[in-house]
Amino acid sequence: MPIRITGMNSGLDTEALVSELVSAYRMKSQKYVKAQKKLSWKQEIWKGLNSKVSAFYSKLTSLRYSAAYNLRTATASDPTKATVSASSAAVNGTYNVQIKQMAKSGYLTGANLGSGITEGSKLSELGYTGGNGTITVNANGKTTDIAVDGNTTISDFVKSLNNAGVKASYDSTHHRIYVASSKMGKDGDFSLTGSDADGIGALNSLGLSVKSTADDALYKQWAAYARNTAGDPLFDASGNQVGTYDAAGTEAYISSLLDQVRKAPATVTNNSAEIKYANAYKAVEEAKANKLNQLSAQEVTEFHALLDEKNLKNVYVDANGNFYDKQSDGTYTARDANKTNYTDAGLAANGITLTESSKRLEELEKKAGFTKEVEQTGSGGTIKQTVVDESQVNAYKSARATVAAYEVVDANGVQTNKAQIDAVQAAYGNGTLDTLVGDLQKDIDDAQKTLKDHALLDNASFTAASVAGKITNAIGVLDGSIQIPVSAGATRVEGRDAIFVINDAEYTSTSNDITVNGLTINALGETGNDSISITVGNNTKGLYDKIKGIIKDYNELINEMTKLYNAGSSRGYEPLTSEEKDALTDSEVEEWEKKIKDSLLRRDDSLSSLLNGMSTAMMKSYNINGKNYSLSSFGIHTLGVLNSADNEQNAYHIDGDADDALTSGNADKLMAALSEDPDAVIDFMKQLTSGVYDVINKKMSSTSLSSFNYVYNDKEMAREYSDYTKTIAKWEEKLQKMEDSYYKKFAAMEKALATLQSQQNSLANLFA
C-alpha cells in the first residue's frame, strides 16, 4: 500500500474523506466476505455431521446380517472345575463334559547340591571326576548337545540349557537347579540325557539324573538308527534285537542320512519361495486380465497407489490421482516436489476437488470388479447388493507385494533369483504353471518328510561319529549294560496332554483350554469319573444390550440433526469484521459467532431430507413370518413432541430400560420378546437396520451437487465458495481503483493550492 502525505495545503483529512467516499464499495466487498465466512462455517458443520453419519452408517453395515446378533452364553454346573464361553458358532443345548486329565508341563527339580554351592561352582567342586562329556537336550523338536568338563560352572550349564529351548534356573537359597519345558503337553516335554559315560556322570553331579519317560523315548529313538552286520535295523518293531550291532556300518548309514537332512532345509526354502512367487505371479496376471482392464491406465496407477497407502486416514486424492495430506490446521498439503499447501479456498480457486482416499479406493475397487453379491432383506423383500469383497482385494494386494518383493534387484541392477523367475513366467505363458507348482511341491513334501523322519539329526554340530556314539550309548542304556544313576532328592514331572470327554467323544489338548464347535472350555480341575454339564443358549442380555446400543447411537445422531434443523434464527447477525471485533470482548465475539454457527443448518433442505428419511425408516413395519412388527411391538417408541425434551422428539426409548428414567417403570417388552422368540426380534432388527442403511446409502450417492459418501451438497458449496473468492477479488479491485482515483483528484487539488499559494507569496513580496 503506497504511503500518502495528504492535506498539506488544504488542511483536509483526505484519508477520512476518501474512506467515506468509497464506503459503499467497501460495504459491498465486506458483504461477500461475510457471506463466504458463513459458508465456510457451514461447510465445517456439515463435515463434522457427515463424519458422524458415516460412522453410524458403517456400524449399520454389519447389523444387517445375522452374524451381528449371534450371541451365545455358556454356563458350567461346577465353575470350580471349568469356566466356559461360547462363540456364535456354538450350538444351543446341554453338553456333558468329563475332564479326565489336566495338561502339565515337563518339570525337573534337581537334587540339593549342598550349602556351599553357588552359581559359580564348577563341576569338579560337585564331585565330577570325568573328562570331556556331552549332555543332550531335546526340546520343541530341536536337539542340542552341551559340552561339559570339570571346569563347567553351574551358571554356564544353566545358560546352555536356556539356549537349548528349556527354561532353567539355579536357586542359590535351596541349592537346586530347576528345568521346565517351554510348552505344555506331552509333545512339549523335554528330555535331558547323557550321551556318553562322562555326560551321564556330569548330569548326576549336577543333581539332574532321574528316570523319565521322555528320556527313555529319546534313547529308543537313537537306538532305532542302529544297524546290524547285514545292514538292517538292529531292533525290530517290537524292540527285539536282530543280529549283531555294527558300529562302523551304523556310522556310514548315519553319514548318508546327515547329508539328506542338511540338504532338506534348502530344498524346502527355495521351492517354497518359488511356489509362493508362482502363485502370486499368476494371481497378479489374472487380475490384470480380468479386473484391472476395467480401469484406465491412470486409474490403475491411482488404484495401486491407494493400495500401497499404509493408512488412508486424513489422506485425499484429486481427479488426477494426486495425493493430499490433511494437516491439523485443516489445510491440505499436496505431495508434489514443492509440498504445495492449500486452504479450502485455494483448492476451490484452482479447480481442485478432493475425495477421501478410502472412498476413492472403494470406487475403484467396485469398478474393477473386486466385489461380491450379498443378500439384503428390506420391506420390498430380499434383494442382492454388490459390495466390495475385501478378501479379493487383500489377496490381490498380498500377491502384488509378493511379486514385488521377489523381483528385487541389487545395487548393480541385477535381478535376484532371475532363473527361477524366468521359469515361472515362462511356465505361466505356456499354461503349465500348475504342473510346475506340483513338481516343486513334491520336492518340498519329500524334504519335509526327511526332516520329520530324522528330526534328531537336525543339528549342524552333529557328525556321523558323534551320532554313532550316541547310538552306542543308547543301546547300552536300554540293554542295561550302562546304568543310569539317580540323583537323590531329584524329582521329575512328565509333560502330558489334557483329556476331555465331551458328549462321549474324547479330545486331547496340549493346554487346559479346548474349543470344540464354538464352545471353549478352560479346565480348572479334573472331574474323575464324574462329569459336569455345560449349557449353551442365546445371550438374551447381550442381545438386549446390542439393540440398546443401536438405539443409543441412532438417538445421539438424530437428536443432533434435529437440534441443528430446529435451531433459532440468527437474523441480523453477520460475521464480524476486524474493527467490529476490536470493539467487543473475546467472550462477546465468541457468543456472537456461536449464535450464527448454531443456526446455519436451520431448515436446511439436505438435512431435512436425511432427517425425514431416517425417521421414516425407523417408524416402518416389517413382516416376519406373516406378522407385521414395528419398534413399538417391542416397547421401543418416541415420546412425542409434548413429552420429550427439546429437539428429542425423534429419539426412541425402551420400556423397562433401567437407565432411562422416563420409561424404566414400563413393562419390559423387549426383554420378554428376546426370551420368547429371539429369532423374530433379530429378523426385525436386520430389516430395520437395512432400511435405515438404504436411506443413508442413497443420500451418499455421488451427484452433480455432492461427492460419493457425502450426505450434503459439498460440490455445490465448494463452487459457491470459489465464486465468492472471485467476487470478493473483483470488488477489492474496484475499491482499490476508486481509492486511487479519489487520491489522484485530491493530489491535483493540493498541487493547485500549492501553486496558488506560491503565486500569492510572490505578489506579497513585490508589494513589501
Side-chain angles (χ1 to χ4, degrees):
M1 186 175 180
I3 299 175
R4 297 185 174 99
I5 301 175
T6 60
M8 294 287 291
N9 296 292
S10 65
L12 298 174
D13 186 349
T14 306
E15 288 193 8
L17 289 171
V18 171
S19 179
E20 285 298 320
L21 289 169
V22 300
S23 60
Y25 290 91
R26 183 175 289 107
M27 289 179 63
K28 197 75 173 177
S29 175
Q30 288 178 348
K31 173 186 174 183
Y32 292 113
V33 170
K34 291 182 178 182
Q36 188 184 49
K37 188 64 176 177
K38 287 177 71 173
L39 178 60
S40 69
W41 286 344
K42 188 174 184 178
Q43 287 175 309
E44 289 177 6
I45 294 170
W46 260 122
K47 284 180 182 177
L49 182 59
N50 192 81
S51 295
K52 294 176 182 178
V53 173
S54 182
F56 182 64
Y57 175 76
S58 296
K59 290 181 180 179
L60 291 176
T61 302
S62 63
L63 294 170
R64 299 174 296 149
Y65 305 106
S66 299
Y69 305 93
N70 285 340
L71 305 178
R72 297 286 185 270
T73 182
T75 56
S77 60
D78 187 351
T80 65
K81 298 299 183 184
T83 58
V84 293
S85 61
S87 71
S88 59
V91 179
N92 290 353
T94 301
Y95 300 77
N96 288 320
V97 177
Q98 181 185 3
I99 305 171
K100 295 179 67 175
Q101 179 174 286
M102 296 282 286
K104 289 184 178 181
S105 300
Y107 197 89
L108 171 56
T109 301
N112 190 327
L113 300 179
S115 60
I117 302 303
T118 66
E119 285 186 333
S121 298
K122 299 178 181 180
L123 270 173
S124 58
E125 299 174 49
L126 300 175
Y128 177 68
T129 58
N132 296 326
T134 302
I135 294 174
T136 300
V137 181
N138 187 255
N140 305 323
K142 173 186 173 185
T143 302
T144 306
D145 281 348
I146 300 176
V148 294
D149 58 30
N151 291 318
T152 301
T153 65
I154 291 177
S155 177
D156 293 337
F157 183 68
V158 167
K159 183 177 180 180
S160 296
L161 285 175
N162 284 307
N163 291 336
V166 294
K167 298 177 181 178
S169 62
Y170 177 70
D171 186 335
S172 58
T173 301
H174 299 286
H175 314 295
R176 295 174 186 263
I177 297 175
Y178 298 90
V179 185
S181 59
S182 58
K183 296 180 180 179
M184 291 185 72
K186 181 179 179 181
D187 291 341
D189 204 356
F190 66 92
S191 63
L192 189 60
T193 61
S195 298
D196 49 35
D198 286 334
I200 293 172
L203 271 180
N204 188 37
S205 296
L206 289 164
L208 299 175
S209 185
V210 288
K211 294 282 290 182
S212 82
T213 303
D215 292 346
D216 288 344
L218 183 62
Y219 285 128
K220 289 177 182 178
Q221 284 180 278
W222 283 122
Y225 286 106
R227 288 295 181 265
N228 58 26
T229 52
D232 297 323
L234 180 63
F235 297 98
D236 62 18
S238 300
N240 300 313
Q241 185 170 333
V242 180
T244 305
Y245 176 53
D246 184 354
T250 298
E251 186 172 339
Y253 172 65
I254 291 297
S255 181
S256 65
L257 289 181
L258 282 173
D259 186 54
Q260 290 182 45
V261 170
R262 286 166 183 167
K263 287 179 180 177
T267 302
V268 172
T269 302
N270 293 341
N271 286 356
S272 295
E274 288 181 44
I275 289 177
K276 188 175 182 181
Y277 171 74
N279 288 325
Y281 181 82
K282 180 179 180 181
V284 171
E285 290 300 308
E286 290 182 348
K288 288 179 182 177
N290 302 325
K291 294 186 180 298
L292 297 189
N293 62 358
Q294 309 297 321
L295 306 177
S296 67
Q298 184 269 325
E299 287 176 330
V300 170
T301 301
E302 182 183 355
F303 175 59
H304 285 155
L306 287 167
L307 280 181
D308 292 339
E309 281 287 326
K310 290 184 172 59
N311 183 1
L312 292 178
K313 186 177 181 181
N314 292 327
V315 178
Y316 292 77
V317 65
D318 65 17
N320 296 317
N322 300 311
F323 285 109
Y324 298 74
D325 298 300
K326 189 172 184 180
Q327 309 301 317
S328 58
D329 61 359
T331 60
Y332 303 83
T333 301
R335 297 185 191 174
D336 55 20
N338 299 317
K339 296 289 184 183
T340 307
N341 190 272
Y342 292 95
T343 60
D344 285 335
L347 291 171
N350 285 276
I352 300 171
T353 301
L354 297 185
T355 302
E356 192 174 353
S357 288
S358 58
K359 294 169 185 173
R360 177 58 176 159
L361 178 58
E362 184 177 3
E363 289 179 356
L364 294 174
E365 288 169 338
K366 286 184 176 179
K367 186 174 180 181
F370 289 96
T371 57
K372 63 181 177 181
E373 285 191 339
V374 296
E375 289 189 349
Q376 178 181 342
T377 304
S379 57
T382 300
I383 61 173
K384 290 185 176 180
Q385 185 178 15
T386 300
V387 299
V388 173
D389 188 345
E390 295 296 342
S391 63
Q392 287 188 49
V393 176
N394 290 335
Y396 173 69
K397 185 176 180 181
S398 176
R400 186 167 165 268
T402 298
V403 169
Y406 204 86
E407 295 180 345
V408 295
V409 296
D410 61 22
N412 298 317
V414 178
Q415 194 172 50
T416 307
N417 300 321
K418 187 176 189 306
Q420 294 94 322
I421 291 174
D422 289 344
V424 169
Q425 294 176 350
Y428 182 76
N430 297 329
T432 59
L433 186 60
D434 290 336
T435 301
L436 173 66
V437 170
D439 291 342
L440 294 172
Q441 187 62 56
K442 184 178 183 303
D443 291 342
I444 288 178
D445 293 342
D446 290 344
Q448 287 180 329
K449 186 175 186 304
T450 298
L451 288 171
K452 183 177 180 181
D453 291 346
H454 306 295
L456 283 177
L457 306 180
D458 188 14
N459 188 314
S461 66
F462 284 177
T463 64
S466 67
V467 174
K470 288 181 172 62
I471 294 170
T472 301
N473 182 69
I475 293 171
V477 171
L478 293 174
D479 67 17
S481 60
I482 296 177
Q483 293 294 318
I484 302 294
V486 176
S487 302
T491 61
R492 182 71 153 86
V493 174
E494 304 281 354
R496 69 181 191 185
D497 294 336
I499 301 176
F500 298 84
V501 178
I502 304 173
N503 285 353
D504 297 329
E506 186 169 288
Y507 303 87
T508 60
S509 173
T510 57
S511 71
N512 288 313
D513 297 330
I514 191 170
T515 298
V516 178
N517 197 29
L519 175 64
T520 299
I521 303 171
N522 171 229
L524 302 177
E526 296 175 0
T527 60
N529 295 324
D530 297 328
S531 62
I532 61 174
S533 62
I534 293 175
T535 304
V536 176
N538 290 324
N539 186 354
T540 305
K541 180 63 167 61
L543 283 170
Y544 181 93
D545 290 340
K546 169 77 75 173
I547 295 170
K548 182 177 175 180
I550 297 170
I551 298 299
K552 179 176 180 292
D553 291 339
Y554 172 83
N555 286 346
E556 289 176 353
L557 180 58
I558 208 72
N559 286 346
E560 181 172 354
M561 292 165 61
T562 305
K563 181 180 179 181
L564 290 169
Y565 184 77
N566 291 335
S569 173
S570 61
R571 184 185 297 274
Y573 285 78
E574 295 293 334
L576 300 169
T577 64
S578 298
E579 293 80 6
E580 290 170 336
K581 287 183 178 180
D582 291 340
L584 301 173
T585 64
D586 290 344
S587 60
E588 288 173 334
V589 171
E590 184 179 350
E591 185 177 349
W592 183 282
E593 292 185 346
K594 185 177 184 301
K595 176 72 174 177
I596 300 171
K597 292 177 180 179
D598 287 347
S599 69
L600 288 175
L601 296 190
R602 169 183 165 82
R603 304 296 185 262
D604 185 275
D605 290 340
S606 295
L607 181 58
S608 174
S609 177
L610 179 62
L611 183 61
N612 290 334
M614 291 175 62
S615 300
T616 301
M618 290 290 283
M619 290 187 291
K620 277 186 178 180
S621 295
Y622 298 93
N623 189 276
I624 311 295
N625 298 325
K627 182 179 179 181
N628 288 330
Y629 291 88
S630 65
L631 280 172
S632 62
S633 304
F634 307 109
I636 306 173
H637 53 84
T638 63
L639 297 180
V641 177
L642 297 178
N643 297 319
S644 61
D646 289 344
N647 298 312
E648 293 186 8
Q649 63 269 26
N650 294 311
Y652 282 84
H653 298 258
I654 303 174
D655 284 342
D657 179 6
D659 297 326
D660 192 334
L662 299 174
T663 57
S664 59
N666 299 339
D668 197 336
K669 295 172 69 175
L670 175 59
M671 185 62 80
L674 287 171
S675 300
E676 295 169 8
D677 191 359
D679 291 338
V681 181
I682 290 171
D683 285 344
F684 171 79
M685 290 305 300
K686 286 162 53 182
Q687 293 191 48
L688 176 73
T689 52
S690 293
V692 180
Y693 177 91
D694 288 344
V695 170
I696 300 176
N697 185 58
K698 185 176 180 181
K699 295 297 179 186
M700 285 185 165
S701 298
S702 178
T703 68
S704 60
L705 301 177
S706 62
S707 302
F708 177 70
N709 268 12
Y710 282 78
V711 295
Y712 67 101
N713 298 339
D714 63 306
K715 291 181 181 178
E716 182 184 38
M717 289 185 183
R719 287 193 291 267
E720 188 178 350
Y721 192 97
S722 179
D723 290 342
Y724 277 131
T725 300
K726 294 174 184 177
T727 302
I728 291 168
K730 289 179 181 178
W731 277 102
E732 289 291 340
E733 185 179 355
K734 286 182 180 180
L735 178 63
Q736 188 63 50
K737 287 181 178 179
M738 190 58 65
E739 283 184 342
D740 291 344
S741 175
Y742 280 124
Y743 275 117
K744 285 180 181 179
K745 291 177 181 179
F746 277 108
M749 182 189 73
E750 293 290 339
K751 183 178 180 181
L753 288 174
T755 302
L756 177 61
Q757 185 176 3
S758 176
Q759 292 173 347
Q760 288 176 339
N761 289 338
S762 297
L763 289 172
N765 289 333
L766 289 174
F767 293 103

